[in-house]
Amino acid sequence: MNAPARRHELDWIRVMAILAVFFFHSTRFFDLWDWHIKNVNNYLWVEIWNGFMTTWLMPLFFVISGASLFYALNNSGGFKKFYLDKFSRLMVPVIVGACTHSALQIYLERTSKHVFSGSFFSFYKIYFSGLYFEPNCPGNFAFHGMHLWYLLFLFLYSLLCYRLFVRLQGGWGNGLNRLTSLLSSPKAMYLIFPLPLLLIKLIFPASILSVGSGGWGFLYYLWFLIGGFVIASGENLMECIKRNRNISLVLAGAFTALYLYLVFGALGGAIPYAIRPWAALLLRFWGAWFWILAILGLGLQHLSFDRPILRHLNEGVLPFYILHQTIILGFGYFVMPLEIEDYAKWLIVFIDAFALTAGLYFYLIRKFDVLRFLFGMKTSKPLFSKAGKTIVLAALHIVYAGMIAFSVVNWPASAAINRAPMPFAYDADRDVILDARNITEKSPTGVRLVADPSASTGWAVELTSGASGKPLPAPEVYVEMQFEAPAGRYYIWLRGKCNEDDISSDSIWLQSDKWIGTGWGSMLGNWLDIHSAGAWGWASNGDDPKLIILRSDGVHTLRIQPRQVPHRIDQIWLSRFQNRMPGVNEPIKK
C-alpha cells in the first residue's frame, strides 16, 4: 500500500488542541472540583465552561492519535520497530516525567494543602511511597506522570490495536471500505459513531468505567482511538464529514447545551432520577462525537494547507504538552495566595506559564539531542546504535516496573504522612456549620433529638433504625437540613460518636440538592475507624476526606439516611480548606 499524503489539517488541529488543553488547565484553579492547587474563590461559570471543554477535548486527542496511527502504520516496519518507536516517543517521557517534574507537581500539591512542609529534596526522599491516583490520595509516586496519563494510555491502546489496524489495512481492507462507505452518509455517521460508547456503558461495570481522567473513563478513549483510525481510512467519509460540518456544529451546540442544562440547571431536577443519568450519558456521548465531527469538518475545509512554521509547531506539541501542567502549577503555587483580583491571577499564570513553556521548547529542548530523546522527539542523529537502544529501552522497562513495585510495598510511609491530622482550618466567612437547629424535616421514626451536654448546642441527632446498604429514593428514616451557601467545592466533616463499640454502627448516606430522592449518595462517618466508642470525633469517611460540589448559589438541602445504627451526630462541617482530619475533636463555635 502506498503511503497516503500527509494531512496538514490534522497537524493544525493537533496544535490548536494543545493550546486548548493549556487554556483548560490554566482555569482549573478556579472551577468547583478539586485539583492539585486551588484558588480561594471558585466559580460556577468556570465549572460550566470546563464541563463543556471536557466533553470533547481529550476524545479529540485520541481521535487525532488514531488517525495518525493510520498514516504511521504504513512505515511501521513490523511490530518490534513499532513497539520500540512508540516506547521511545511515549513511554520515555512518562518514565522521565514520573521521576522529575511530576514529583514537583505532587510536592506543590502537598505543600499547598499543608500535608508536607520542607524542601522539594526532602519530599523526594518519600516520593516513592504509595501510588498517586488523584488529589488528596495517600500515595505519592505519580507512575503515570500526572497529566502524562494520556501518553501512557495512548501507548497501551496503540499496542492493543496494532494487529487490528494492520489487518484493517491489509486483508480486512474490504471490510473497512464497506464500513467507511456505510458511514459516509450523515444519518449513519451521526448514529453509528457514538453507539460503541453506549455499548461500553452497557457491558462494563461502573467501577471500571468510573476510573478515568480528562472528564471520561479511560475505557471510552479506546473507541475514540479506533474511530480516528476509521475516519482517516476513508476519503469518502472525510468528504462527508467536511460537507456536513455546519450540521455537526449545530448538533454539537444543541446537545452540549442540553447536557449542561441537565447537569447544572433546572432540567436536572425536572427529569426523573431513573431517566436522568441515561439522558446525561446519551447527550454527552452524541455531543462529544458531534463536536469531533464538527472540528474535523471545519479543519478539512479551512486547514488543508502547509506552512513552514507548521512543522516546528507540530514537532513542539509533545514537549509543550509534557511541560505545560508542571509550569502552570508552579506559577499557580505562588500566584493563587496573592490578594489580587482573580482575573489578574489567571492572566499572570496564563501569560507567564505559556511564555516559559514555549521558551523552554524553542530555546532549549529542541536544540539538544539528549533532551529531544527524553521528550519523545526524533533526534538529528542516533543517540544509540540499534542494539544499544534496545538495551537501554529494555532497562527502562525494568526500572519503571521496579519503581512501581517499590512504591506499592512502601505505601505505609506515605499514608502516615498524607493522612496525619491537621489543625482546624475553619473559615467563618466561607464554611458552613450545621447542627440540630438546621433541621427542616425528619422522619417520625428512627431518628430523634436527644439532650447531650457534650454536644455543641446541647442537642444531638440520634439515628436508631432504618439502616440501609444503599441510599434510598424514599427512605423511612431520614433527616433534612437546609442552609445557604455559594457554589463551590466543600470537604464534608461530621462530628459524631457511636453508642456501641461495633464497626457496623457508624456510617450514614448523605444526599444533596437534586440528588435527594434518588439512589445516589455519599457514604460518610466510619467514626470507629479512628475514634473510640462513646467519644465525639470528627470524620469524613473515616480519615478519608470527601468532597461535595454545590453547583449553584443560594439555598441547599442535605438529606441524611442511616447506613448503620445506632450513633449520634452533633455537627456537619462543610469546609473549603480542611482537607485532612482535624487534629482535635472539639466542636466548632459559630
Side-chain angles (χ1 to χ4, degrees):
M1 177 181 287
N2 295 327
R6 188 174 187 89
R7 305 299 304 226
H8 300 299
E9 307 97 318
L10 295 179
D11 293 335
W12 285 115
I13 293 173
R14 185 184 293 108
V15 171
M16 294 177 183
I18 193 61
L19 296 177
V21 167
F22 183 91
F23 177 81
F24 170 75
H25 281 145
S26 72
T27 65
R28 286 300 317 275
F29 303 104
F30 307 98
D31 64 16
L32 302 186
W33 281 99
D34 200 17
W35 203 43
H36 314 293
I37 297 172
K38 297 297 291 188
N39 185 50
V40 171
N41 300 314
N42 309 121
Y43 299 96
L44 178 62
W45 68 269
V46 178
E47 179 68 22
I48 295 173
W49 173 258
N50 285 348
F52 157 70
M53 293 195 71
T54 56
T55 300
W56 55 268
L57 186 53
M58 290 313 299
L60 176 64
F61 264 97
F62 278 93
V63 167
I64 295 172
S65 298
S68 299
L69 282 172
F70 172 79
Y71 301 106
L73 283 177
N74 288 279
N75 301 310
S76 64
F79 179 75
K80 181 179 178 181
K81 184 176 183 298
F82 178 82
Y83 182 92
L84 292 176
D85 287 344
K86 289 300 175 185
F87 191 89
S88 299
R89 183 162 173 79
L90 301 175
M91 286 306 297
V92 168
V94 171
I95 297 171
V96 173
C99 297
T100 55
H101 55 91
S102 295
L104 179 59
Q105 291 188 40
I106 306 297
Y107 169 73
L108 295 175
E109 176 188 324
R110 301 304 194 205
T111 52
S112 69
K113 296 183 177 181
H114 310 289
V115 176
F116 181 85
S117 60
S119 68
F120 171 72
F121 296 103
S122 62
F123 172 77
Y124 202 80
K125 295 177 182 178
I126 61 167
Y127 175 59
F128 297 94
S129 56
L131 299 181
Y132 180 97
F133 292 101
E134 60 183 358
N136 301 311
C137 76
N140 287 330
F141 178 48
F143 66 98
H144 41 65
M146 300 296 281
H147 61 293
L148 305 186
W149 64 265
Y150 161 68
L151 304 183
L152 173 62
F153 276 86
L154 180 57
F155 173 72
L156 296 175
Y157 287 163
S158 298
L159 300 184
L160 184 64
C161 294
Y162 176 81
R163 294 298 177 191
L164 171 65
F165 289 167
V166 168
R167 290 179 179 178
L168 287 174
Q169 285 190 332
W172 295 358
N174 290 333
L176 181 60
N177 289 336
R178 286 194 292 270
L179 175 60
T180 55
S181 297
L182 172 64
L183 292 169
S184 298
S185 70
K187 291 181 180 179
M189 179 176 69
Y190 293 141
L191 175 63
I192 294 176
F193 269 119
L195 275 180
L197 300 177
L198 182 59
L199 293 176
I200 290 171
K201 173 62 180 177
L202 293 172
I203 293 171
F204 292 94
S207 58
I208 294 177
L209 296 179
S210 63
V211 179
S213 190
W216 290 81
F218 288 131
L219 199 56
Y220 291 119
Y221 292 126
L222 180 59
W223 167 240
F224 288 113
L225 183 82
I226 297 173
F229 184 92
V230 171
I231 289 172
S233 64
E235 288 293 334
N236 290 337
L237 175 56
M238 285 193 285
E239 183 62 31
C240 178
I241 291 173
K242 181 172 72 171
R243 189 170 57 250
N244 293 279
R245 60 191 180 278
N246 293 329
I247 297 175
S248 300
L249 187 61
V250 171
L251 289 172
F255 272 63
T256 305
L258 285 172
Y259 167 74
L260 294 174
Y261 190 46
L262 176 62
V263 173
F264 295 98
L267 184 60
I271 296 179
Y273 172 72
I275 303 174
R276 192 187 310 162
W278 287 102
L281 280 172
L282 293 176
L283 288 170
R284 198 160 198 260
F285 290 165
W286 264 260
W289 270 107
F290 290 155
W291 277 113
I292 290 168
L293 295 173
I295 292 169
L296 291 177
L298 291 169
L300 290 168
Q301 176 66 24
H302 301 291
L303 300 175
S304 58
F305 58 88
D306 191 15
R307 293 289 185 273
I309 195 175
L310 179 58
R311 182 178 66 84
H312 298 292
L313 293 175
N314 191 49
E315 186 182 47
V317 163
L318 183 57
F320 190 93
Y321 176 79
I322 292 168
L323 284 174
H324 82 282
Q325 181 168 294
T326 304
I327 295 175
I328 286 173
L329 286 172
F331 279 105
Y333 179 81
F334 294 102
V335 172
M336 292 305 129
L338 298 179
E339 294 184 2
I340 58 177
E341 295 293 335
D342 289 335
Y343 74 86
K345 294 180 183 180
W346 176 79
L347 279 174
I348 292 171
V349 171
F350 182 87
I351 294 172
D352 291 348
F354 185 88
L356 181 57
T357 305
L360 286 174
Y361 165 67
F362 278 108
Y363 297 107
L364 186 64
I365 295 170
R366 72 186 184 98
K367 293 186 175 182
F368 298 96
D369 270 353
V370 171
L371 291 177
R372 292 177 68 92
F373 175 75
L374 295 179
F375 280 84
M377 301 173 66
K378 294 180 180 179
T379 56
S380 58
K381 56 180 180 293
L383 290 177
F384 312 101
S385 66
K386 183 176 181 181
K389 188 174 183 179
T390 303
I391 293 172
V392 169
L393 295 182
L396 285 176
H397 284 73
I398 298 172
V399 170
Y400 185 54
M403 290 188 298
I404 293 175
F406 177 79
S407 298
V408 170
V409 173
N410 198 36
W411 74 267
S414 66
I417 295 173
N418 298 330
R419 286 290 183 261
M422 67 179 286
F424 272 119
Y426 174 60
D427 187 325
D429 296 326
R430 301 175 186 274
D431 293 356
V432 176
I433 302 295
L434 305 175
D435 53 42
R437 295 171 296 186
N438 296 97
I439 294 176
T440 55
E441 186 178 343
K442 66 182 181 67
S443 59
T445 61
V447 58
R448 61 180 182 174
L449 297 182
V450 294
D452 190 328
S454 59
S456 58
T457 63
W459 294 88
V461 179
E462 186 172 63
L463 298 171
T464 58
S465 66
S468 172
K470 61 181 181 180
L472 302 174
E476 293 184 1
V477 179
Y478 66 92
V479 177
E480 288 189 2
M481 300 180 178
Q482 285 191 343
F483 61 96
E484 189 169 350
R489 40 183 282 283
Y490 297 83
Y491 296 100
I492 309 177
W493 297 97
L494 280 68
R495 186 174 188 259
K497 67 178 177 180
C498 294
N499 300 344
E500 302 175 1
D501 191 7
D502 183 347
I503 60 172
S504 63
S505 68
D506 64 342
S507 61
I508 65 166
W509 295 109
L510 187 73
Q511 297 174 319
S512 63
D513 293 339
K514 66 182 180 182
W515 297 109
I516 292 174
T518 73
W520 183 91
S522 299
M523 183 180 70
L524 294 170
N526 291 320
W527 292 277
L528 287 177
D529 290 356
I530 48 179
H531 302 295
S532 302
W536 290 110
W538 289 100
S540 192
N541 181 8
D543 60 356
D544 184 21
K546 293 297 181 182
L547 277 169
I548 184 173
I549 305 296
L550 302 180
R551 296 184 180 275
S552 62
D553 298 334
V555 178
H556 303 275
T557 303
L558 294 183
R559 175 184 284 182
I560 297 170
Q561 299 180 37
R563 181 175 180 267
Q564 298 166 324
V565 292
H567 57 259
R568 294 182 180 181
I569 299 173
D570 176 20
Q571 291 182 322
I572 301 176
W573 176 20
L574 278 63
S575 172
R576 300 298 297 269
F577 306 107
Q578 189 78 36
N579 55 69
R580 297 201 322 280
M581 187 179 66
V584 295
N585 295 315
E586 298 302 314
I588 296 175
K589 297 180 180 179
K590 295 185 183 180

